[in-house]
Amino acid sequence: MNPVSLVQRAMLAYYAGDARRIQHFLKVYAYAKAIGELESLDAATQFCLEIAALTHDIGIRNSERLYGSASGTYQQLEGPPEAQRLLAALPIDPAVTERVCWLIAHHHTYRDIQGLDYQILVEADFLVNLVEDGLDAATARHTGETLFKTQTGKFFLSCLYPSASE
């Protein structure tokens, strides 16, 4: 059985009853998977990226419970231990789990982005968040200019916000 599908199933169970959060991580996963493939990531990096995209917001539930907030700072703090527990129960190599947890711990930090998997995860999350948060074309343009580096991510952003790329 495909390990990525097992992670997807585990995340659906983890967020059962929270359709908004499930829809969010599935959209981020779809963008991340496509960007990674179109940017020709090697298989190992693509695999880590896909698992990270599925689990990137796993810390929200504990962040809200412990701090009354889903802020990115708390997600980055609470996410890695939750991801570690979830992935330990699945056939995921510990080195992959380590990288995924590192990505979760940094996915709301936008300076000093290290690695194409990290860059793509940030771009995919922004593609979804810009729309989900109802942000305007000016915000999309600024985000694209300051954060987006991949040609595919920029293309997807221009498709969502055509006036942002003018």
Side-chain angles (χ1 to χ4, degrees), residues 46-82:
Q46 180 75 28
F47 183 68
C48 281
L49 170 63
E50 290 183 25
I51 292 173
L54 288 166
T55 59
H56 75 284
D57 280 347
I58 196 169
I60 288 178
R61 194 166 64 183
N62 283 345
S63 297
E64 290 175 334
R65 183 176 56 79
L66 295 171
Y67 310 103
S69 170
S71 95
T73 301
Y74 296 132
Q75 288 181 46
Q76 292 181 149
L77 180 66
E78 296 301 324
E82 284 298 290

Side-chain angles (χ1 to χ4, degrees), residues 42-43 62 75 106 118 131-133 139 154 165:
D42 64 85
N62 283 345
Q75 288 181 46
H106 293 86
Y118 184 3
V131 174
E132 287 182 350
D133 295 343
T139 303
K154 290 176 183 179
S165 58

Side-chain angles (χ1 to χ4, degrees), residues 25-160:
F25 76 71
L26 290 175
K27 289 184 276 187
V28 171
Y29 167 72
Y31 278 124
K33 179 176 179 10
I35 294 169
E37 289 173 349
L38 291 166
E39 293 290 322
S40 301
L41 288 185
D42 64 85
T45 305
Q46 180 75 28
F47 183 68
C48 281
L49 170 63
E50 290 183 25
I51 292 173
L54 288 166
T55 59
H56 75 284
D57 280 347
I58 196 169
I60 288 178
R61 194 166 64 183
N62 283 345
S63 297
E64 290 175 334
R65 183 176 56 79
L66 295 171
Y67 310 103
S69 170
S71 95
T73 301
Y74 296 132
Q75 288 181 46
Q76 292 181 149
L77 180 66
E78 296 301 324
E82 284 298 290
Q84 176 69 42
R85 280 188 282 283
L86 183 126
L87 297 174
L90 299 171
I92 305 297
D93 184 279
V96 171
T97 297
E98 183 178 338
R99 178 64 179 172
V100 166
C101 288
W102 188 90
L103 289 168
I104 292 168
H106 293 86
H107 81 280
H108 283 288
T109 302
Y110 310 124
R111 64 188 181 290
D112 195 29
I113 292 178
Q114 301 170 15
L116 203 47
D117 52 354
Y118 184 3
Q119 180 65 44
I120 292 169
L121 179 61
V122 166
E123 291 180 11
D125 200 21
F126 262 100
L127 288 167
V128 175
N129 286 333
L130 285 165
V131 174
E132 287 182 350
D133 295 343
L135 299 173
D136 60 18
T139 303
R141 180 183 305 109
H142 176 72
T143 302
E145 290 170 354
T146 58
L147 287 176
F148 280 57
K149 304 289 185 233
T150 71
Q151 290 306 305
T152 306
K154 290 176 183 179
F155 172 75
F156 288 172
L157 182 63
S158 73
C159 290
L160 291 171

